[in-house]
Amino acid sequence: MRCLQPAVGGRSMSATVVQTTGVRRAADVSALLGDPPPAFLIEEADAAGVAAYHELRRHVFVDQQGLFENSDRDDRDEDPRTVVLIARDARGDVLGGVRLGPPSDEPDIGWWRGGRLVTRTGGATRGVGAALVHSACARAEAAGVLRFDATVQLGTQRFFERLGWQKVGPAAVANTPHVLMRWPIDRISRLAKTTKSDLGALLGRTGPAGFIGDDGAPVPGSDLVAACDAIMPAMVERDPEWASWCSVLVNANDLAAMGAVPVGLLDALGARDAASAGRVLRGLRRAADAYGIPILGGHTQLGVPAALSVTALGRTANPVPGGGGRAGQPIRLTADLGGSWRAGYAGRQWDSTSHRKPAELRSMVAAVGQARPDAAKDVSMAGVVGTLGMLAEASGCGAVLDVAAVPRPAAASMGDWLTCFPGYAMLTAGPQQLEAGPAVGAICGELTTGQGVELRWPDGEVTQALSGRVTGLGAA
């Protein structure tokens, strides 16, 4: 991002900032709200807005600053994925703009770059530069971006730092010294904190030796493995068939991660009435039949708020631990990329399983037991990175994930895919390759010394996703 310093020298935010996808006049919005017209609005530019933005850039960067000889346009302007945000005043005139999008023609892997930030000079543009930068950050994060960089002029480094950006190092644009800055995106760490960080304090060292924090628990003195999962009450109430399908799915995956062959399910169901309970039980039977796991019994209570918990039992003489990895071992993600976002859960729950044939489902849940990797964990609500952090923590290691190598559906942004519940996705440590029916796998990282998880990008840059332990349970 190159900033016209006189226009963005302060942090004052005296104007109302509204992001829209079409052209909206300040007077239109203020009339609806009953407020005085704001000084400017931020919107995603249409063709006319883009043209006005390009003309303002030419005037500033070519005519005034002389950074470029004839034009500052480049291939990023021609990329259809590039987003242009502009600021308009109450008359609709463009006061400034900024562009953002993937930094090259390669596939979008969640790395975007901001650039060509420009504003008009004069008092009427006070606050426009800061508003455009804030809006660009929000737009990038909404698109599932996990790394957002900008190359800024030396005189605007402090301005970006006051807005929360972090200095990465020196850079050059048009043979002129610049500074590479990065916007800190904490989406992954926030997810891990809200879903897993309290487990160590709550659970202590619960579980058999060597299997602390595993997806299931080996039953001492037997070849049984037990797993148990509860479904969020709001999900049971809102979408009972999907909730009951997921209750079987997550337990089947928990057993699968330990290499266990499932032998039966027990359910505990609470429902308002018989009709509500019937919907859940029909979903349970459908899922149990699909996965080939008999329902052995359970408990049903009517006249209570919705609740569902399922326990699964499996058998294996040698459970695969979640903490069996060692520093230097490759990390492989094997995931079913078919399907789509579940209706009502876009960006959070990827449904790759509900339309699979029974043979396909059973092939996936048998894969770990057949390959027997050194460590395995199925991807939970902590997402791919959070689950990798748990596998690394249980193994007494850290981990690095090669973002570009992660198998991912075309319909999912990288940010969504690395933080969602993906249906079937298994992380394994070691050289073993899983043969998991329709699921595909790839080596996409390795265990390291230390702790936490880093993301490695195609240009060699490494960004921190998780700075330390995920659960606090420690090494198994």
Side-chain angles (χ1 to χ4, degrees):
M1 292 184 182
R2 297 179 191 83
C3 303
L4 185 58
Q5 190 160 355
V8 296
R11 293 191 63 187
S12 172
M13 295 292 289
S14 58
T16 299
V17 180
V18 178
Q19 291 191 41
T20 66
T21 55
V23 176
R24 297 294 301 274
R25 294 295 186 266
D28 297 335
V29 178
S30 59
L32 292 173
L33 300 177
D35 295 331
F40 59 86
L41 298 176
I42 305 295
E43 65 189 27
E44 197 159 318
D46 59 6
V50 171
Y53 164 65
H54 285 162
E55 177 58 27
L56 180 57
R57 276 172 37 184
R58 186 201 61 78
H59 175 66
V60 172
F61 299 135
V62 177
D63 297 340
Q64 289 188 348
Q65 297 185 357
L67 282 174
F68 303 90
E69 289 188 6
N70 299 309
S71 173
D72 75 319
R73 301 279 294 275
D74 59 21
D75 57 350
R76 295 300 89 216
D77 292 308
E78 308 307 320
D79 191 330
R81 301 170 299 176
T82 295
V83 175
V84 172
L85 301 179
I86 56 174
R88 290 187 187 273
D89 63 15
R91 297 178 301 177
D93 295 333
V94 174
L95 302 177
V98 64
R99 73 178 187 190
L100 60 155
S104 71
D105 293 333
E106 297 298 318
D108 184 357
I109 59 169
W111 170 24
W112 278 21
R113 181 174 292 156
R116 300 299 199 269
L117 174 67
V118 63
T119 65
R120 290 186 182 181
T121 56
T125 62
R126 181 173 176 81
V128 170
L132 285 166
V133 173
H134 282 309
S135 297
C137 296
R139 179 65 175 82
E141 293 198 50
V145 171
L146 295 174
R147 173 185 169 188
F148 188 36
D149 298 337
T151 304
V152 309
Q153 293 186 16
L154 298 181
T156 58
Q157 176 183 338
R158 292 294 301 276
F159 163 76
F160 275 85
E161 289 174 339
R162 288 196 297 269
L163 295 180
W165 288 64
Q166 299 170 350
K167 178 182 176 180
V168 178
V173 175
N175 297 317
T176 303
H178 282 63
V179 179
L180 178 64
M181 307 289 290
R182 182 164 297 144
W183 175 247
I185 298 176
D186 63 349
R187 176 175 181 170
I188 291 171
S189 60
R190 282 188 287 110
L191 176 65
K193 181 175 177 58
T194 56
T195 58
K196 300 296 181 180
S197 64
D198 292 326
L199 295 183
L202 289 170
L203 303 178
R205 299 291 290 177
T206 301
F211 294 93
I212 304 299
D214 272 78
D215 300 296
V219 179
S222 75
D223 64 352
L224 287 174
V225 174
C228 181
D229 280 281
I231 304 300
M232 292 183 293
M235 187 173 165
V236 181
E237 188 75 38
R238 173 186 178 185
D239 198 351
E241 287 85 359
W242 176 240
S244 52
W245 177 273
C246 287
S247 70
V248 176
L249 158 70
V250 294
N251 277 285
N253 285 348
D254 284 347
L255 294 179
M258 303 196 75
V261 177
V263 296
L265 299 169
L266 297 166
D267 68 274
L269 170 63
R272 291 174 300 171
D273 49 39
S276 299
R279 294 182 66 185
V280 175
L281 291 171
R282 283 193 297 273
L284 275 171
R285 295 188 188 102
R286 174 175 169 262
D289 289 344
Y291 279 92
I293 313 174
I295 299 176
L296 304 177
H299 174 79
T300 302
Q301 177 69 50
L302 303 181
V304 296
L308 176 62
S309 177
V310 171
T311 298
L313 299 174
R315 288 188 182 277
T316 177
N318 297 294
V320 176
R326 301 182 306 278
Q329 285 188 315
I331 288 293
R332 182 184 298 271
L333 177 66
T334 304
D336 185 359
L337 307 185
S340 60
W341 295 117
R342 177 72 179 182
Y345 300 94
R348 294 177 293 155
Q349 295 184 20
W350 182 262
D351 179 12
S352 61
T353 60
S354 65
H355 304 292
R356 287 293 186 195
K357 297 177 181 179
E360 294 175 318
L361 297 172
R362 298 172 193 182
S363 174
M364 288 189 284
V365 297
V368 171
Q370 294 167 354
R372 302 205 56 79
D374 294 293
K377 285 191 75 70
D378 77 291
V379 177
S380 69
M381 296 304 291
V384 170
V385 180
T387 303
L388 175 57
M390 290 190 286
L391 186 154
E393 178 184 355
S395 300
C397 300
V400 61
L401 186 71
D402 285 304
V403 181
V406 173
R408 172 175 59 108
S413 72
M414 187 61 75
D416 287 345
W417 181 244
L418 293 185
T419 56
C420 77
F421 178 75
Y424 177 86
M426 200 69 64
L427 283 162
T428 56
Q432 300 87 349
Q433 180 175 337
L434 272 60
E435 300 296 336
V440 299
I443 293 175
C444 52
E446 66 264 1
L447 294 176
T448 64
T449 57
Q451 60 183 12
V453 179
E454 295 177 319
L455 304 182
R456 188 160 54 206
W457 302 89
D459 64 342
E461 279 285 304
V462 174
T463 58
Q464 189 174 76
L466 299 171
S467 60
R469 296 177 175 180
V470 177
T471 65
L473 292 168

